[in-house]
Amino acid sequence: MSLRLPDSGAQVGADGRRHAPSAERNAGPILSVLRRVVRPGARVLELASGTGQHAAALAPALAADWQPTDVEPGNFASIAAWSGAVARAPRLLDACAPGWSAGEEWDAILAVNLLHLVPEEGAAVLIAEAARALAPAGRLAVYGPFLREGRATSAGDAAFDADLRAQDPRLGYKDLGWVMARMGAAGLGVEVTPMPANNLMLIAFKI
Ligand SMILES: C[S@@+](CC[C@H](N)C(=O)[O-])C[C@H]1O[C@@H](n2cnc3c(N)ncnc32)[C@H](O)[C@@H]1O
């Protein structure tokens, strides 16, 4: 289904390029965390690349071998327009489809603002498959908004979460405790970093 989202990106270029202000805003804070865990030359799989702005900003800043992906082929033109010079061509990948990790090995896997847009079963698959697709010293980086002990952390977050659930009751913010439990069940330890606007960055690693 096609979701009504506050900031999915406005068309800004004849080459298909879309621009999402949120992606531009959070690229810097995300980069500051990733610099700690992504070494130059690392193979990075980005799930749900969206407009492609993060690939364009993060791949050269981290000197990474960057693979953008998305479940929506309609995003590929924008992803390629933004990141064609600094990343691989975008690939179709449904992060919630069981089995997608087969044959994959990545030093880092990044998912920004995705977990709240997929059902709980899909989020559990994403975490389990990403854990399998990590190289031995790899890192899974998950950025976004979360419930804490079942509660939203601001009125704006509560309203957005309610709007998502009204569009599809299977969607909405995931609880931090639930996500950490899924990561633990997948054999991952987790470091939690507070980010601007009540968001979190979860950096998960094999234990
Ligand atoms: C809110 S946008 C975030 C895009 C980008 N990560 C960012 O932060 O700017 C959500 C993206 O998730 C993608 N998406 C939704 N479900 C997905 C799935 N199951 N697997 C991969 N991507 C998915 C959508 O196509 C969309 O590009």
Side-chain angles (χ1 to χ4, degrees):
M1 86 183 265
S2 146
L3 283 174
R4 188 170 21 82
L5 296 172
D7 183 18
S8 52
Q11 193 81 27
V12 291
D15 55 2
R17 190 179 301 248
R18 297 195 332 273
H19 178 265
S22 62
E24 184 173 320
R25 257 193 325 270
N26 59 30
I30 289 171
L31 174 62
S32 68
V33 178
L34 292 184
R35 275 196 202 286
R36 301 204 309 256
V37 295
V38 177
R39 58 166 178 77
R43 300 158 298 168
V44 179
L45 180 71
E46 183 188 16
L47 306 174
S49 296
T51 62
Q53 286 164 270
H54 285 148
L58 302 176
L62 294 164
D65 171 6
W66 197 276
Q67 175 65 68
T69 70
D70 205 281
V71 74
E72 175 49 65
N75 288 337
F76 288 3
S78 183
I79 294 169
W82 278 101
S83 69
V86 295
R88 302 189 198 182
R91 234 176 70 185
L92 189 68
L93 195 158
D94 179 350
C96 300
W100 68 254
S101 63
E104 307 278 351
E105 188 179 90
W106 298 93
D107 300 309
I109 299 175
L110 174 66
V112 176
N113 282 333
L114 175 59
L115 282 197
H116 56 294
L117 304 181
V118 301
E120 206 165 78
E121 314 83 77
V125 168
L126 183 162
I127 291 166
E129 294 292 334
R132 289 186 197 110
L134 282 182
R139 295 287 185 273
L140 167 62
V142 177
Y143 171 97
F146 297 88
L147 302 176
R148 321 287 160 86
E149 295 179 358
R151 301 174 70 89
T153 49
S154 73
D157 283 291
F160 183 34
D161 182 38
D163 182 50
L164 289 172
R165 290 176 199 274
Q167 293 184 59
D168 181 338
R170 300 171 308 153
L171 308 185
Y173 288 22
K174 306 298 175 284
D175 190 71
L176 175 62
W178 180 86
V179 174
M180 291 184 65
R182 297 317 312 163
M183 289 178 165
L188 301 174
V190 190
E191 176 199 317
V192 180
T193 303
M195 303 294 282
N198 303 313
N199 290 309
L200 297 174
M201 175 70 95
L202 311 186
I203 300 290
F205 49 90
K206 290 190 179 188
I207 44 180

